[in-house]
Amino acid sequence: MRGRYGAVVRGARTAASGARGERRPRDGYGQRHPGTEARAGPRGTGGEARGTGGKPAAKRRDPFFDNAKYLAILLVAMGHAWEPLRGDSRAASALYIFVYTFHMPAFIIISGYMSRSFDMRPDRLRRLITGVAVPYVIFEVAYTLLKRTAGGDPDYPFSLLDPWYLTWFLIALFVWRLTTPIWKLVRWPVPLSLAIAILAAISPDIGDDLDMQRVLQFLPFFVVGLKLKPEHFQLVRRREARLLSLPVLAGGALFAYWAAPRMNAAWFYHRDSAQELGAPGWTGVVMTLALFGCSLVLTACFLAWVPRRHMWFTALGAGTLYGYLLHGFLAKGSRFGDWYAADWLHSPVGEIAVTLIAATVITVLCTPLVQRLFKFAMEPEMRWAFRRDVEELAKRR
């Protein structure tokens, strides 16, 4: 009896000692989250962390990625604001080319990284439809109405096969996510996606349907994001990476200043084949590889300076797609309304003012208030459109 009682006591002491010495969970950057085990609560039958009432515990958002998304969309808005200034300012043209080298690749790489868990589960397919496909339809129609009214082109056709302006990203994201299981399956996904991008760059017969040139030419960045792991982001957060990024960013900016009057900026849009840009086919191969390498290097330099902790703008990272799609109405409206006609806007002071205005507008459009106002278009529930058994299956998962 004593032996059995002693064994029980020793077992209890061992368990208590192990609980005290248990290491706290770490995030993707090796940082411990204090008190995480207290919040996690009991576990469900599937090993899933449960909160009070048996409900799944909410996952903590990593501020690094929200910060990166906000800063990337900030550069997107600034780039659109600089576009009408390029003809009169070499500095604006250089900044435009420099930023266009990496702002969308950075955004797409992060999108790929966030899509690593995507599969053909019904609940994830439903979110893909309501969060990407439906907003594409809504904003494609809205942008077409803008073109027909403010743009002075009343006969511009409604077409879901020909994305106009910013909506190409939604159709691209839809296609990329649907192909995610394939990129998880193949042995060399990044080289394969890069080969597809090269073939697209030398294939003028692809046409404009669904903006497939952009879908295919930007594809390698999405695949790179799929293959990245948390430790890869940890590498660019090191102090050495930050210091090394400074001369690289400076060299990139100087090269952009040299190239601004000599280079066709359309290469950075990845919207056309080499032949459509008036260049021989082999140029498409060289430019695709060169831009891919430059974009990856500059994206790494950009990520090296993204804050890792919570900032005043961290919460705005959850609304970047709102800001991206909504600011397009102002960007195009400024062209249709000839807002850049004032001479002072084409001076250094005007260029700074345009930059600050663009930063302010995109910041406001990413706020939670704007998200609540436009959630009906960006994240509609649409329970009526899906079978009930699929909805119940998603809840059980």
Side-chain angles (χ1 to χ4, degrees), residues 26 40 82 126 133 135 137 156 222 279 314 352 358 362 366:
R26 296 175 180 263
W82 293 332
R126 173 180 169 173
V137 174
Y156 190 81
F222 184 82
T314 299
I352 295 174
I362 198 68
C366 292

Side-chain angles (χ1 to χ4, degrees), residues 17-102:
S17 175
R20 285 194 299 269
E22 182 180 359
R23 303 181 71 179
R24 290 173 178 168
R26 296 175 180 263
D27 65 7
Y29 303 102
Q31 295 297 309
R32 296 176 184 172
H33 294 310
T36 304
E37 59 270 34
R39 287 192 299 272
R43 291 191 175 272
T45 55
E48 180 183 33
R50 298 275 168 178
T52 57
K55 295 181 180 180
K59 292 182 179 179
R60 297 183 60 185
R61 293 182 68 94
D62 190 331
F64 173 81
F65 291 105
D66 281 332
N67 293 339
K69 288 193 295 181
Y70 168 74
L71 294 175
I73 206 66
L74 196 68
L75 293 176
V76 170
M78 289 178 177
H80 290 156
W82 293 332
E83 187 173 2
L85 305 174
R86 292 170 51 217
D88 302 317
S89 172
R90 184 172 179 177
S93 184
L95 282 173
Y96 182 85
I97 289 176
F98 178 66
V99 165
Y100 262 74
T101 307
F102 68 90

Side-chain angles (χ1 to χ4, degrees), residues 137-157:
V137 174
I138 293 174
F139 278 88
E140 180 62 28
V141 171
Y143 275 130
T144 301
L145 289 174
L146 178 69
K147 176 77 169 175
R148 291 168 68 108
T149 54
D153 189 358
D155 297 324
Y156 190 81

Side-chain angles (χ1 to χ4, degrees), residues 254-312:
L254 289 174
F255 180 81
Y257 189 81
W258 173 85
R262 298 174 173 85
M263 189 173 181
N264 186 353
W267 285 107
F268 299 91
Y269 305 152
H270 298 281
R271 186 178 56 196
D272 304 292
S273 65
Q275 294 90 332
E276 290 171 306
L277 295 177
W282 63 266
T283 311
V285 179
V286 174
M287 290 298 294
T288 300
L289 293 173
L291 288 176
F292 180 71
C294 291
S295 297
L296 287 185
V297 171
L298 291 179
T299 296
C301 294
F302 163 74
L303 293 175
W305 287 95
V306 171
R308 182 174 174 174
R309 64 186 184 279
H310 277 276
M311 306 292 290
W312 65 267

Side-chain angles (χ1 to χ4, degrees), residues 86-147:
R86 292 170 51 217
D88 302 317
S89 172
R90 184 172 179 177
S93 184
L95 282 173
Y96 182 85
I97 289 176
F98 178 66
V99 165
Y100 262 74
T101 307
F102 68 90
H103 68 5
M104 281 310 295
F107 206 77
I108 294 168
I109 287 172
I110 294 172
S111 298
Y113 182 78
M114 296 300 181
S115 302
R116 293 174 304 157
S117 62
F118 182 84
D119 52 26
M120 295 300 176
R121 263 175 39 178
D123 57 327
R124 287 175 177 157
L125 287 174
R126 173 180 169 173
R127 284 198 299 271
L128 182 64
I129 293 171
T130 58
V132 179
V134 172
Y136 168 71
V137 174
I138 293 174
F139 278 88
E140 180 62 28
V141 171
Y143 275 130
T144 301
L145 289 174
L146 178 69
K147 176 77 169 175

